[in-house]
Amino acid sequence: AQKITQTQPGMFVQEKEAVTLDCTYDTSDQSYGLFWYKQPSSGEMIFLIYQGSYDEQNATEGRYSLNFQKARKSANLVISASQLGDSAMYFCAMRDYNYGQNFVFGPGTRLSVLP
Amino acid sequence: DADVTQTPRNRITKTGKRIMLECSQTKGHDRMYWYRQDPGLGLRLIYYSFDVKDINKGEISDGYSVSRQAQAKFSLSLESAIPNQTALYFCATSDQTSGVQSTDTQYFGPGTRLTVL
């Protein structure tokens, strides 16, 4: 069965510094996608970044980058130059592209950006 | 207008009551999902539907039922609500990728905060 692990329930970072949010996954599939979502205090789920298992380069979207280490089955989110508005819950998720194609979510990491 | 809408946004009810949460989407996606979110547990899949005639149980379907009235509408029912069903409920949609890796993500509704007293 697929599983996502996020070992950091909470993280603090100083404004303007970079922060890495950890995500490890477990799957026997070769074809899968990894996603990160942000959930601010208002509750909505905001898609941030995607990495396909066959992508050779790490994904980047503005201040977000995904440090993808396939052999270690990790897909860490790096946020550069943290802003106060980055304070939120962050969820790592995986989607397999074979059976089911459903999404599996991790428990989340709450990031607090300090002024 | 939002692509995925949920009604109601907030609901307080009593133990034993029947509750229906509704979801509508304008994305044109075939796939729709219901999740619940609890602190420390992330999002857990309750039910999902690949099309109007294809409905499947997710990880935590006990105590819930669903109805896919049309491609755009997917409702979640709690037949007899209990306090441990107090949670934030999300509806989501996604496109089918046909086995090809795709950046197609899930699109979430704004959530329904349900409290069962």
Side-chain angles (χ1 to χ4, degrees):
Chain A
Q2 297 172 325
K3 185 179 179 180
I4 297 285
T5 301
Q6 293 179 257
T7 58
Q8 306 151 314
M11 290 277 289
F12 291 91
V13 65
Q14 209 69 37
E15 191 178 9
K16 300 181 184 178
E17 293 185 351
V19 62
T20 297
L21 306 184
D22 294 341
C23 172
T24 58
Y25 59 92
D26 188 17
T27 182
S28 57
D29 294 328
Q30 297 300 309
S31 181
Y32 52 88
L34 296 156
F35 300 78
W36 277 92
Y37 296 87
K38 173 184 178 181
Q39 185 182 43
S41 59
S42 52
E44 73 267 31
M45 296 288 285
I46 302 168
F47 166 67
L48 295 178
I49 196 167
Y50 164 87
Q51 179 87 40
S53 61
Y54 296 140
D55 294 342
E56 295 185 350
Q57 293 199 343
N58 289 340
T60 60
E61 289 287 347
R63 293 186 300 111
Y64 305 108
S65 61
L66 201 153
N67 184 359
F68 180 47
Q69 299 188 44
K70 193 171 182 177
R72 294 186 176 184
K73 294 189 176 179
S74 74
N76 298 338
L77 177 70
V78 181
I79 305 175
S80 63
S82 297
Q83 301 173 356
L84 295 177
D86 293 334
S87 293
M89 283 290 290
Y90 289 82
F91 293 98
C92 179
M94 177 171 62
R95 184 184 197 188
D96 78 83
Y97 291 105
N98 298 308
Y99 179 77
Q101 299 186 20
N102 285 335
F103 292 73
V104 175
F105 287 79
T109 295
R110 181 172 297 281
L111 178 67
S112 298
V113 181
L114 305 175
Chain B
D1 289 339
D3 293 323
V4 185
T5 58
Q6 293 183 235
T7 56
R9 294 293 311 278
N10 290 280
R11 182 72 182 268
I12 299 173
T13 190
K14 295 182 179 180
T15 297
K17 294 292 188 180
R18 184 178 188 274
I19 296 296
M20 179 180 286
L21 310 183
E22 298 186 341
C23 176
S24 294
Q25 54 112 348
T26 59
K27 300 291 292 182
H29 289 160
D30 288 328
R31 297 181 173 219
M32 297 187 73
Y33 308 79
W34 275 104
Y35 294 93
R36 65 175 280 175
Q37 181 183 2
D38 299 278
L41 296 177
L43 275 70
R44 292 182 293 166
L45 184 62
I46 306 173
Y47 269 95
Y48 60 102
S49 171
F50 287 173
D51 64 39
V52 175
K53 297 181 180 179
D54 186 356
I55 294 177
N56 305 277
K57 293 182 177 180
E59 178 187 354
I60 52 164
S61 59
D62 287 348
Y64 301 94
S65 63
V66 291
S67 174
R68 185 82 182 266
Q69 301 95 325
Q71 188 206 34
K73 295 184 181 296
F74 193 35
S75 300
L76 176 72
S77 293
L78 288 68
E79 297 301 326
S80 180
I82 56 177
N84 78 359
Q85 291 177 314
T86 294
L88 181 59
Y89 289 84
F90 284 103
C91 174
T93 74
S94 74
D95 204 357
Q96 182 175 349
T97 67
S98 299
V100 177
Q101 293 202 349
S102 169
T103 59
D104 274 350
T105 179
Q106 286 190 315
Y107 296 86
F108 286 87
T112 294
R113 193 166 296 279
L114 176 66
T115 303
V116 183
L117 302 176

